[in-house]
Amino acid sequence: MNNQKVLLKVDDLKQYFPIKGGFFGRTVNHVKAVDDISFEVYEGETLSIVGESGCGKSTTGRAVLRLDEPTDGKVEFDGTNILELNKKEMNKFRKDMQIIFQDPYASINPRHTVRQILTEAMEIQNAVPKHERNDRVKELMETVGLGAHQIDRHPHEFSGGQRQRIGIARALSVDPKLIIADEAVSALDVSIQAQVINLLKKLQREFKLTYLFISHDLGVVRHISDRIIVMYLGKVVEIADKKSLFTNNMHPYTKALLSAIPSTDLEAKKERITLKGDVPSPIDPPEGCRFHTRCPFATDICRTKVPELRNTEGMKDGHRAACHHMEAIRSGEHQPTVNA
Amino acid sequence: MTGAPNPSYDNILEIKNLQTSFFTKDLEVKAVDGVSFNIPKGKVLGVVGESGSGKSITSLSILRLIEEPGKIKGGEILFKGENLLDKSEAQMRKIRGNEISMIFQEPMTSLNPTFTVGQQISESFRIHEGLGKKEAKKKSIEMLKLVGIPSPEKRINQYPFELSGGMRQRVMIAIALACNPDLLIADEPTTALDVTIQAQILDLMKELQEKLDMGILLITHDLGVVAETCDYVAVMYCGKVVEFTDKKTLFTEPKHPYTVGLMQSVPQHDQDVDGDLAVIRGSVPSPADMPQGCRFAPRCPFATDLCRNKLPDLETDEEGNQIRCWIYSDEWDGDPEVNVHEQSKSTS
Ligand SMILES: Nc1ncnc2c1ncn2[C@@H]1O[C@H](COP(=O)(O)OP(=O)(O)OP(=O)(O)O)[C@@H](O)[C@H]1O
Ligand SMILES: Nc1ncnc2c1ncn2[C@@H]1O[C@H](COP(=O)(O)OP(=O)(O)OP(=O)(O)O)[C@@H](O)[C@H]1O
Ligand code: SF4
Ligand SMILES: [Mg+2]
Ligand SMILES: [Mg+2]
């Protein structure tokens, strides 16, 4: 992995959303949706972001695309810090970075035919010469498995899985390098979900695409990813190659998250780490380690000092986690401080 | 279902050939098309199936909550041996939220936003048990404690919007269980929740189910949830039950090609799949062009002319498991050695 080219590099990214209030509509506080995160995406890989609702997954994806203007940090795409670009310069990069959403219906114009939807995307990015666009649309339809004969249909005439294919075709139409998929298969029935996942993998092989794959479904993530980021309350708590994340995870939150997923393996007698309580508010996140209010291993240091993302003995290169006690938890020296 | 034949009073719920349709402008949508299943007393039945297969309409039919243009056309719904379809609306009102409770997927839409949590639970105690104000409040606090809400004396004065999603779902469960029902119907009760919260809620439901010895009808699309909470499973497809088994059989020897496809197409977090995922080709037929034979035939890798022309019946085997597929009948006209566990992996 290490000698692979870095396509996207995110440094110290912060996204604080202001909360207005009081008599004068002043900013009284902030939602610290993403709070100082860094990661790299290698060309041709699938890097997934997982974590519970509200932990900042979508915000990260949107900030990378500048759909929301980040509060602070750097986003380097192919060596250029795109946060410093003006609108015109940015537009050149837009075609290289596309997004697919959970609900394809919300992001496509229901009155347009598929042909119009795809042609329009190419027009906006000025991606394909005008006289070639029609052929390109047909080609795209075949690529995503819809068949060129359906080209003049409207979105409502397609099933959910087919509409998601339209969303994928639209993202592909401008020949991007990076695709951010935000819960792109989450709303689909499992039988349809498998079709779309297989398609995404096939397209990646064919067009050397790089995916930033946002999902809360760890089964899907295990299948599709090369590497995985686990987020909790605006922070990265662990980042690792897929194998390490599922078999050699270090952070107590990662362990709890994995153990909470119901398993279809009837034989597996697993120990569930039940977390108490709810995720705290990102407006006023806990001091120190943000997970300490729910962590069975928390001690005084966890309540005051923010743990760094770091690699330690027994972890593969590139695998990092942010927990003060990870060595002692692994060796068994540090046992839960509260009964979980 | 295993073992001795069960007289009707062994089952808290018995549904026989239930039919519920929606009559739209130009066609009849047979949302529930001859559904039959039993829930033995004190057991948990899981209902799984694709979106639109009729899971929610089945549960709304049990409570007789189908609205225009929908209509329950026929069948029987035996609750403790008595047919709910013969009851008057007044009798049904007594049964709902008393002997049969329901929790929905979105607690926000089923909790009343203008009343406090306490008022909503108390109401159930006052109506169904005729308790006074003070008694009802005391019982409400106990109930909130039972479902694991910290400092219930304070929470009882809060409004639904002041609670997190997980807590609202707990309140829903508290209300549903306040009347000590014999049957709980839970329609995707944890789908909108995070997995760590889902784990808390499922543990709670299981614990209370054992304590109160109630039957549960649990609708879910998550096979992991089925594996961890259910005793029996009904798999629905296009308004019909295609397979009904005990849980173990479902996960070890599923029989219906749809069930097998369903199980193989879900990527699991605790195992690796090499290469592509197995898929079920195509998609669910629309009500306007429902296949005349087996509803699954257009997507089934094993379909024969028999399948395409004639609808198979739901047959019961010696273990009491049920299957609706020609492969398991004497009339099967395809490969006699067919192995339903070998399905193709393709993206089309
Ligand atoms: N435009 C906004 N203004 C204010 N707060 C916001 C805005 N967008 C997101 N947030 C908040 O930022 C936090 C992170 O939200 P985000 O949508 O990134 O979460 P997520 O991880 O994608 O969750 P989910 O799994 O539910 O999609 C949440 O607390 C959310 O309420
Ligand atoms: N009010 C209505 N009018 C017309 N058709 C309806 C109505 N309500 C439901 N249906 C149809 O009845 C069928 C069964 O719907 P149902 O809600 O039971 O599906 P489900 O199995 O619960 O799906 P999901 O997993 O998406 O919740 C669907 O085809 C649906 O379109
Ligand atoms: S740093 Fe402390 S609170 Fe945070 S995960 Fe590790 S043990 Fe738990
Ligand atoms: Mg999101
Ligand atoms: Mg439903």
Side-chain angles (χ1 to χ4, degrees):
Chain A
M1 270 301 169
N2 281 344
N3 40 24
Q4 251 181 303
K5 181 182 159 194
V6 174
L7 183 64
L8 179 73
K9 189 165 187 296
V10 173
D11 274 321
D12 307 323
L13 183 71
K14 282 189 188 157
Q15 185 64 276
Y16 291 2
F17 295 107
I19 302 170
K20 308 275 184 203
F23 286 115
F24 308 106
R26 278 175 310 155
T27 299
V28 291
N29 217 331
H30 287 95
V31 180
K32 297 177 177 119
V34 169
D35 202 4
D36 201 1
I37 70 169
S38 304
F39 60 89
E40 292 171 348
V41 190
Y42 301 112
E43 193 166 47
E45 77 163 340
T46 300
L47 175 66
S48 293
I49 306 182
V50 302
E52 288 175 284
S53 183
C55 69
K57 304 182 294 295
S58 297
T59 303
T60 303
R62 294 176 58 83
V64 164
L65 292 179
R66 284 179 74 185
L67 295 177
D68 299 315
E69 218 44 66
T71 310
D72 199 7
K74 248 178 21 184
V75 176
E76 271 180 28
F77 185 82
D78 228 353
T80 310
N81 181 2
I82 59 168
L83 300 189
E84 285 168 353
L85 301 179
N86 64 30
K87 217 173 157 205
K88 204 169 148 205
E89 292 166 326
M90 185 63 207
N91 275 344
K92 272 194 240 137
F93 279 86
R94 289 225 180 266
K95 98 172 214 1
D96 287 336
M97 307 159 83
Q98 291 292 306
I99 186 161
I100 314 170
F101 295 101
Q102 167 163 6
D103 178 8
Y105 223 42
S107 57
I108 48 189
N109 185 335
R111 269 186 290 253
H112 284 179
T113 63
V114 178
R115 186 200 300 271
Q116 287 168 317
I117 290 165
L118 297 181
T119 312
E120 190 190 59
M122 288 185 260
E123 259 164 35
I124 292 171
Q125 306 291 351
N126 210 355
V128 179
K130 209 168 179 178
H131 63 277
E132 287 174 21
R133 282 181 195 154
N134 218 354
D135 286 340
R136 177 83 178 128
V137 170
K138 286 186 192 152
E139 190 186 303
L140 282 165
M141 292 288 280
E142 299 288 351
T143 309
V144 298
L146 281 178
H149 63 281
Q150 312 207 48
I151 200 166
D152 289 313
R153 292 219 204 156
H154 292 87
H156 71 261
E157 297 172 76
F158 291 93
S159 69
Q162 289 173 322
R163 277 201 291 268
Q164 197 54 286
R165 287 167 192 260
I166 298 171
I168 293 171
R170 188 177 60 170
L172 285 178
S173 67
V174 298
D175 213 356
K177 293 185 177 138
L178 173 74
I179 291 185
I180 299 181
D182 190 352
E183 305 283 1
V185 298
S186 306
L188 304 174
D189 268 320
V190 285
S191 74
I192 306 300
Q193 188 183 59
Q195 295 173 358
V196 176
I197 291 171
N198 288 351
L199 173 66
L200 286 171
K201 287 192 97 167
K202 182 187 104 174
L203 295 173
Q204 178 167 50
R205 288 192 297 269
E206 247 164 60
F207 302 110
K208 299 203 170 47
L209 293 167
T210 306
Y211 291 145
L212 183 61
F213 193 85
I214 297 169
S215 175
H216 67 276
D217 183 332
L218 278 131
V220 172
V221 162
R222 177 162 195 166
H223 184 68
I224 204 163
S225 319
D226 297 301
R227 292 188 307 132
I228 295 159
I229 290 177
V230 182
M231 285 184 75
Y232 185 79
L233 214 54
K235 289 274 192 200
V236 172
V237 297
E238 186 154 7
I239 177 165
D241 59 281
K242 168 167 70 181
K243 184 149 182 251
S244 299
L245 194 99
F246 283 97
T247 59
N248 188 32
N249 41 58
M250 298 295 281
H251 199 282
Y253 176 66
T254 310
K255 290 179 193 293
L257 190 65
L258 288 174
S259 81
I261 308 168
S263 168
T264 54
D265 184 352
L266 298 181
E267 305 293 296
K269 271 270 165 280
K270 58 175 191 172
E271 272 179 53
R272 174 165 289 164
I273 308 167
T274 311
L275 293 180
K276 297 264 159 153
D278 294 318
V279 183
S281 156
I283 297 170
D284 204 4
E287 299 275 309
C289 173
R290 289 194 178 181
F291 186 51
H292 85 246
T293 54
R294 300 173 81 200
C295 181
F297 296 99
T299 62
D300 282 343
I301 186 176
C302 308
R303 289 182 266 274
T304 50
K305 191 165 175 255
V306 180
E308 295 287 318
L309 260 184
R310 60 200 174 85
N311 179 281
T312 171
E313 221 184 297
M315 288 163 85
K316 238 173 139 174
D317 253 8
H319 179 183
R320 285 172 299 150
C323 166
H324 292 303
H325 298 304
M326 59 192 189
E327 290 86 353
I329 291 172
R330 151 183 281 185
S331 70
E333 216 171 291
H334 183 52
Q335 290 294 320
T337 48
V338 293
N339 71 325
Chain B
M1 300 298 305
T2 321
N6 33 49
S8 64
Y9 47 82
D10 273 356
N11 295 317
I12 189 72
L13 186 74
E14 257 184 78
I15 298 187
K16 291 181 182 164
N17 198 25
L18 179 67
Q19 291 161 297
T20 304
S21 287
F22 290 90
F23 296 89
T24 64
K25 262 199 317 286
D26 37 28
L27 94 151
E28 173 186 353
V29 176
K30 296 183 176 173
V32 177
D33 191 9
V35 162
S36 307
F37 58 70
N38 301 337
I39 306 181
K41 225 174 147 222
K43 297 286 180 193
V44 184
L45 171 74
V47 180
V48 300
E50 314 225 352
S51 184
S53 58
K55 305 182 294 293
S56 297
I57 301 302
T58 300
S59 58
L60 291 172
S61 301
I62 296 169
L63 289 165
R64 299 248 316 267
L65 289 174
I66 298 295
E67 285 170 12
E68 288 284 314
K71 198 169 172 290
I72 300 178
K73 285 189 351 187
E76 280 178 85
I77 301 172
L78 301 177
F79 174 64
K80 297 201 233 171
E82 290 180 39
N83 190 356
L84 294 182
L85 298 183
D86 294 337
K87 303 273 177 201
S88 69
E89 180 50 37
Q91 287 172 313
M92 275 314 290
R93 238 176 281 138
K94 275 213 191 111
I95 291 172
R96 280 183 218 125
N98 194 9
E99 291 168 77
I100 307 178
S101 283
M102 182 147 182
I103 24 184
F104 299 93
Q105 174 167 355
E106 219 329 299
M108 207 49 195
T109 54
S110 29
L111 285 174
N112 189 327
T114 59
F115 290 101
T116 65
V117 166
Q119 284 167 326
Q120 300 190 48
I121 308 179
S122 295
E123 192 193 44
S124 171
F125 285 121
R126 298 182 66 181
I127 294 175
H128 297 296
E129 295 186 18
L131 296 184
K133 215 171 173 179
K134 244 190 166 158
E135 260 313 276
K137 186 177 171 189
K138 211 179 117 214
K139 285 264 252 181
S140 304
I141 293 175
E142 271 169 34
M143 208 63 217
L144 286 180
K145 198 179 269 163
L146 184 69
V147 297
I149 291 188
S151 37
E153 315 75 24
K154 284 190 208 133
R155 292 291 179 189
I156 205 156
N157 297 317
Q158 289 188 308
Y159 290 89
F161 73 87
E162 297 177 83
L163 305 179
S164 72
M167 274 203 258
R168 282 200 292 265
Q169 200 59 293
R170 282 164 188 270
V171 171
M172 278 302 298
I173 293 178
I175 293 174
L177 299 184
C179 55
N180 204 346
D182 298 304
L183 177 67
L184 174 71
I185 299 177
D187 191 350
E188 305 267 8
T190 57
T191 304
L193 303 175
D194 279 319
V195 284
T196 61
I197 309 295
Q198 166 173 284
Q200 296 171 357
I201 302 273
L202 290 179
D203 286 350
L204 171 73
M205 277 180 54
K206 258 193 297 191
E207 188 191 314
L208 296 176
Q209 187 259 334
E210 277 164 29
K211 212 187 247 168
L212 307 173
D213 196 33
M214 59 181 172
I216 300 185
L217 177 81
L218 176 71
I219 297 174
T220 176
H221 68 279
D222 187 333
L223 291 169
V225 170
V226 170
E228 296 205 349
T229 49
C230 299
D231 301 302
Y232 300 97
V233 189
V235 182
M236 287 188 67
Y237 191 78
C238 292
K240 293 187 181 297
V241 172
V242 295
E243 186 157 7
F244 179 97
T245 72
D246 59 278
K247 170 177 70 184
K248 183 147 185 273
T249 307
L250 183 86
F251 287 100
T252 52
E253 290 171 84
K255 288 202 176 66
H256 199 283
Y258 172 66
T259 315
V260 175
L262 199 62
M263 311 275 267
Q264 292 183 347
S265 57
V266 191
Q268 297 299 334
H269 73 282
D270 48 6
Q271 73 201 42
D272 285 314
V273 181
D274 294 327
D276 279 347
L277 290 170
V279 302
I280 303 175
R281 63 186 176 180
S283 53
V284 180
S286 81
D289 52 3
M290 199 46 73
Q292 54 158 318
C294 170
R295 306 301 191 236
F296 189 58
R299 305 178 73 190
C300 180
F302 311 107
T304 63
D305 282 342
L306 176 65
C307 307
R308 283 180 280 271
N309 292 319
K310 211 168 139 202
L311 179 72
D313 286 330
L314 188 65
E315 303 283 0
T316 308
D317 71 11
E318 45 298 357
E319 270 114 53
N321 291 330
Q322 297 177 304
I323 179 88
R324 187 192 285 280
C325 171
W326 285 120
I327 292 177
Y328 304 93
S329 78
D330 297 336
E331 286 168 71
W332 174 239
D333 61 343
D335 177 2
E337 306 277 287
V338 61
N339 178 357
V340 290
H341 297 267
E342 275 169 23
Q343 299 206 5
S344 64
K345 290 184 180 186
S346 79
T347 46
S348 59

